Amino acid sequence: MEVMTNHGFRKTIKYLRAFIIISLLGFGCMMLVFLGILGYAKILGAPPLAVPQSTLFFASDGTLIGESNSGQKRYWVPLEEISPDLINATVSIEDKNFYEHSGFDYKRIVGAILADIKAGAKVQGASTITQQYARNLFLEHDKTWSRKLHEAFYAIRIEMYYSKEEILEGYLNTIYYGNGAYGVQAASQFYYGKNASELSLSESAMLAGVPKGPSYYSPLESLENATKRQGIILNAMAENGYIKKETAQKAKETPLTFVGEHPHRRVEAAPYFQDAVKNALKNQLKLDDRTIALGGLKVYTTLDLKQQQEAEKQIQETIASESEIQIGFIAMDPKNGYVKAMVGGRNYEQSPFNRAVQAVRQPGSTIKPILYYAALSQGFTPSSTMRSELTTFKLDDGKTEYSPHNFNNKYADGEITLAQALAVSDNIYAVKTHLFMGAETLIKNVKKFGISTKMDKVPSLALGTSGVRVIDMANAYSLFANGGKKVTPTLITRVEDYNGDVIFESNNEPEKVLDPAKSFVMTHMMTGMFDKKLNGYAKVTGNSLIDEITRPYAGKSGSTETDSWMIGYTPQLVTAVWAGHDVGKPITLTAEKSYAKRIWVNFMEESLEGKPVKAFTPPKEGVVGVYVNPENGKLASKNCPVRRFTYFVAGTEPTEYCTDHLDHKKDKPIEKKQETKDPWYKKIFNWGA
């Protein structure tokens, strides 16, 4: 018996020794595996913590005008901008040992494993805040062991490279609170209509309970369930030393008010403008679509909300509801190119096509100021005269003919000045000027003014038959308004990434492109469309607007069979308006032909109301102002019944006085009329009708 006992003891020692060896080997293997995991995590480095966040768009005054998202509201706020009560409530209920562990709470893990074994399924979670954050960033939310292993690995990497504060900030900004709200900022705005930094203790405890089950613990779904969980959280905060029991009880008794609505459920402000901004982010800043949509950018724009609303109002009130006319509208500051208002159509939801920046339409007579600027460089002056009469131009050595017409077939059948030709929009004068200078001159100058669309080398180019974009025409006129300096149409002033770092800032320095003297002379000539003194055989094109304007404007209207334009400016603001049919159908109704002018004048008057009335200031040198008879462009004496103060490039002002008003009586000596030769540029226009 004793032999057997000794034998059994030796056998037991043998098994025990084997067990210890196997256990040590197993532990060693586990340690090797664990060290291997740590080494692998170290090799991989810090996991990226970028998460989808809504990109926000702001007007020039800082007002939020819209956001880019996929039905998910995601805003990132730093930890210091989150209510301490919400932070403490979240830690108390989700992971009370968060600040002590290294990513895993082993007691909770053991308890969860035993509960799962007992139930025969995955029923209880023991995830720490770090593990939940890892899941929010990288994994799906299915309850499988495979997902848990991946979650643990990512948790190791996060804890290895990021501080507790960074982890907590990330978690609070990514956790789902229901109703499309991801993160505490979106949730605070949805449930309470306030920022996360403004939450009270009672509100914080209620909100911290929602992520466990948004459809069950949301106060908007079940106030009873939400209130019970709020009480549990307040008690946990007291047990963990964050608040006193008396404070917890008082918070439980505090009534709460809920909003239940995201502050920016849909884009309400300037949808065409916002589309143009997104396009600029993509094409100018070279950002990809995902970064633009969910990169958490803050995009600060040039939009003036007051002017945008005024533009939309005038379009809605001016165009008849049953009309099929579409609109393209741009208002910009000529000093820096900032686009203040943009409308690309009458109904964004029905047609998001942006006619202000995408459509290419014939500009009609609005091209003439560019033509006549070029003419000033080739010897023309505001007093240069040519005949206005029905004319057939013979081209290609007489092989082809071209017969342009004036509006309503009205002609002076005599000499008119350049200033008058611009004011009444005489087409014969424009074509003669264009042919004299050569088609290449206008094409070259159009490019100088920043217009990039193709120009056809034809006589009718002077009448605006080659297409342009509304935004380019507004920019071209801004050169005149800005004293010859060119700026680029600008939609964005600054862009910040989700960390608040500035990744783009506008630096739109004006570039001198035009001669300041000639530019000012052109601006002064363009005030003529609102001056009845320049009425001759036809009314000035702005005649219907004269009684409605309260400050100096310069501008030009234009029309083709299918397009109606009005572009005009003050020193502070340039506005271009196009009206027409998308399909190029003729504009036949008289009222529709006036839409562009009416929208322009009403917008300019309303948007500039209360702002200083600024006149166009001539440059310090290079121009001379004299009184002339607008009928013939000659110097006008004080006794001349009709005279207009007109600016000329210095050295080109007229020297001959007008004598048309003098009463030549028989008893007075008849002054010998000074013989004058036709200007050199008129000698080539001796062809007739």
Side-chain angles (χ1 to χ4, degrees):
M1 188 72 179
E2 184 178 345
V3 174
M4 288 185 65
T5 301
N6 290 336
H7 177 73
F9 178 75
R10 285 195 298 273
K11 192 174 183 181
T12 301
I13 293 297
K14 182 179 178 182
Y15 284 133
L16 182 60
R17 186 184 296 115
F19 175 77
I20 292 172
I21 292 171
I22 292 171
S23 297
L24 288 173
L25 288 172
F27 179 75
C29 290
M30 289 177 63
M31 286 299 297
L32 287 174
V33 170
F34 181 69
L35 291 173
I37 291 172
L38 290 178
Y40 184 52
K42 192 72 175 177
I43 291 171
L44 291 177
L49 301 185
V51 296
Q53 299 171 43
S54 297
T55 289
L56 305 179
F57 299 92
F58 299 90
S60 59
D61 64 355
T63 302
L64 183 62
I65 58 174
E67 63 180 294
S68 176
N69 58 68
S70 302
Q72 300 177 358
K73 307 293 182 178
R74 295 178 181 265
Y75 314 126
W76 192 283
V77 289
L79 200 62
E80 56 267 23
E81 293 182 19
I82 300 173
S83 167
D85 289 327
L86 181 56
I87 295 172
N88 296 335
T90 301
V91 171
S92 292
I93 196 64
E94 294 292 340
D95 187 1
K96 67 178 182 179
N97 297 317
F98 171 71
Y99 294 105
E100 283 74 44
H101 64 63
S102 298
F104 306 97
D105 190 329
Y106 298 105
K107 283 186 178 181
R108 290 178 66 189
I109 291 173
V110 172
I113 292 173
L114 293 175
D116 291 348
I117 293 173
K118 184 177 180 180
K122 188 75 178 68
V123 295
Q124 184 172 316
S127 295
T128 61
I129 282 177
T130 307
Q131 289 173 276
Q132 292 183 59
Y133 185 30
R135 183 169 66 240
N136 292 340
L137 287 174
F138 308 112
L139 304 166
E140 298 297 328
H141 285 241
D142 55 314
K143 292 185 177 182
T144 63
W145 286 109
S146 174
R147 191 269 294 165
K148 292 294 290 183
L149 290 173
H150 282 91
E151 178 185 292
F153 181 65
Y154 277 114
I156 290 171
R157 292 178 65 194
I158 291 173
E159 286 277 351
M160 186 179 289
Y161 286 99
Y162 297 99
S163 68
K164 288 292 185 179
E165 288 72 22
E166 289 174 316
I167 296 169
L168 188 56
E169 178 181 303
Y171 172 78
L172 288 168
N173 277 291
T174 54
I175 197 70
Y176 184 53
Y177 288 88
N179 293 282
Y182 286 81
V184 292
Q185 179 70 358
S188 298
Q189 291 180 346
F190 177 77
Y191 287 105
Y192 302 113
K194 60 176 67 173
N195 293 324
S197 61
E198 302 168 328
L199 294 178
S200 67
L201 172 60
S202 183
E203 291 169 334
S204 296
M206 180 74 75
L207 190 59
V210 176
K212 182 175 176 64
S215 62
Y216 189 78
Y217 291 112
S218 166
L220 302 178
E221 298 294 335
S222 173
L223 185 57
E224 180 182 356
N225 294 339
T227 302
K228 287 180 180 179
R229 184 152 176 81
Q230 178 200 44
I232 294 171
I233 292 173
L234 288 168
N235 291 338
M237 292 179 73
E239 290 172 6
N240 293 325
Y242 289 113
I243 58 174
K244 295 180 179 180
K245 289 185 178 180
E246 296 79 8
T247 305
Q249 186 58 39
K250 186 176 180 181
K252 294 176 186 178
E253 297 169 356
T254 302
L256 299 178
T257 301
F258 304 102
V259 174
E261 185 176 294
H262 291 290
H264 313 287
R265 298 190 65 175
R266 62 186 181 88
V267 173
E268 295 182 355
Y272 290 102
F273 178 86
Q274 291 198 47
D275 274 0
V277 168
K278 293 171 188 174
N279 190 59
L281 291 171
K282 183 175 182 179
N283 296 323
Q284 295 175 21
L285 275 64
K286 306 302 181 184
L287 300 178
D288 60 77
D289 290 333
R290 178 172 173 78
T291 300
I292 295 169
L294 292 169
L297 306 177
K298 289 184 179 179
V299 183
Y300 297 89
T301 75
T302 60
L303 187 76
D304 185 306
L305 274 177
K306 178 181 177 293
Q307 292 186 7
Q308 179 66 32
Q309 291 162 0
E310 191 61 47
E312 293 172 356
K313 173 189 172 187
Q314 294 304 332
I315 291 168
Q316 183 178 12
E317 292 181 354
T318 301
I319 302 178
S321 58
E322 67 275 9
S323 174
E324 295 180 354
I325 289 288
Q326 277 294 352
I327 206 78
F329 179 103
I330 290 283
M332 61 182 284
D333 185 336
K335 299 299 182 185
N336 51 27
Y338 286 5
V339 175
K340 309 305 253 177
M342 176 188 292
V343 181
R346 291 173 61 193
N347 189 311
Y348 178 81
E349 293 181 359
Q350 291 180 4
S351 174
F353 178 69
N354 193 336
R355 296 155 188 86
V357 298
Q358 292 176 288
V360 176
R361 305 300 300 236
Q362 293 182 348
S365 293
T366 59
I367 204 74
K368 289 176 182 176
I370 300 176
L371 171 73
Y372 292 143
Y373 174 82
L376 293 180
S377 299
Q378 297 205 18
F380 284 71
T381 78
S383 289
S384 297
T385 58
M386 283 192 283
R387 288 187 65 81
S388 167
E389 58 188 359
L390 183 61
T391 304
T392 296
F393 297 91
K394 298 184 183 297
L395 310 166
D396 300 326
D397 296 326
K399 296 177 183 178
T400 57
E401 296 182 346
Y402 173 55
S403 300
H405 296 270
N406 278 348
F407 179 70
N408 286 339
N409 285 310
K410 287 187 177 182
Y411 306 91
D413 291 323
E415 301 282 330
I416 62 170
T417 66
L418 172 56
Q420 196 174 42
L422 182 62
V424 301
S425 203
D426 189 277
N427 288 337
I428 305 302
Y429 197 112
V431 174
K432 285 182 177 180
T433 304
H434 177 53
L435 290 175
F436 166 72
M437 294 190 299
E440 289 294 344
T441 300
L442 180 53
I443 293 173
K444 181 180 177 180
N445 273 269
V446 163
K447 292 180 180 178
K448 180 188 290 188
F449 278 79
I451 298 171
S452 59
T453 46
K454 184 179 181 296
M455 297 287 115
D456 294 325
K457 192 176 179 180
V458 293
S460 63
L461 181 61
L463 308 183
T465 53
S466 289
V468 296
R469 296 181 179 87
V470 178
I471 193 169
D472 290 340
M473 290 302 289
N475 188 48
Y477 274 58
S478 76
L479 270 73
F480 292 126
N482 200 19
K485 295 177 182 177
K486 181 181 179 181
V487 292
T488 303
T490 300
L491 305 173
I492 303 168
T493 57
R494 189 172 81 257
V495 179
E496 297 177 1
D497 65 14
Y498 70 96
N499 284 321
D501 297 326
V502 177
I503 60 174
F504 169 80
E505 195 152 17
S506 173
N507 183 22
N508 200 350
E509 289 293 330
E511 174 191 1
K512 182 181 176 182
V513 173
L514 308 183
D515 178 82
K518 296 182 180 71
S519 178
F520 177 76
V521 169
M522 276 308 311
T523 285
H524 194 257
M525 275 202 287
M526 279 192 276
T527 65
M529 74 169 289
F530 306 106
D531 191 343
K532 289 183 178 179
K533 290 179 181 179
L534 288 170
N535 279 339
Y537 64 93
K539 293 181 179 179
V540 292
T541 54
N543 187 73
S544 63
L545 309 178
I546 291 173
D547 294 335
E548 299 181 43
I549 62 176
T550 60
R551 62 180 67 220
Y553 293 106
K556 186 72 187 77
S557 59
S559 62
T560 68
E561 186 181 29
T562 58
D563 304 274
S564 177
W565 291 76
M566 178 63 207
I567 312 175
Y569 56 93
T570 67
Q572 306 110 302
L573 189 65
V574 176
T575 298
V577 186
W578 166 85
H581 295 282
D582 282 335
V583 294
K585 186 171 66 175
I587 303 173
T588 56
L589 300 179
T590 302
E592 293 181 337
K593 293 178 180 179
S594 68
Y595 282 160
K597 285 182 181 178
R598 301 238 57 82
I599 292 168
W600 177 86
V601 72
N602 290 335
F603 169 80
M604 293 295 281
E605 284 291 309
E606 291 295 330
S607 62
L608 292 173
E609 184 179 7
K611 296 184 178 181
V613 176
K614 292 188 176 181
F616 298 105
T617 306
K620 293 181 179 180
E621 56 184 24
V623 298
V624 173
V626 295
Y627 282 99
V628 300
N629 181 340
E631 293 288 330
N632 55 31
K634 297 177 181 179
L635 289 173
S637 66
K638 292 182 179 179
N639 297 323
C640 191
V642 181
R643 62 183 193 151
R644 185 179 193 265
F645 194 76
T646 305
Y647 282 95
F648 295 80
V649 175
T652 69
E653 66 272 17
T655 56
E656 181 184 355
Y657 275 91
C658 173
T659 59
D660 292 355
H661 66 286
L662 296 178
D663 184 11
H664 299 289
K665 295 183 178 179
K666 293 181 180 180
D667 56 342
K668 289 185 178 180
I670 300 175
E671 295 182 9
K672 186 177 180 181
K673 190 173 181 180
Q674 182 178 347
E675 292 185 6
T676 59
K677 295 181 179 180
D678 285 340
W680 51 272
Y681 54 80
K682 292 172 59 179
K683 293 180 180 179
I684 67 168
F685 297 125
N686 290 325
W687 49 68

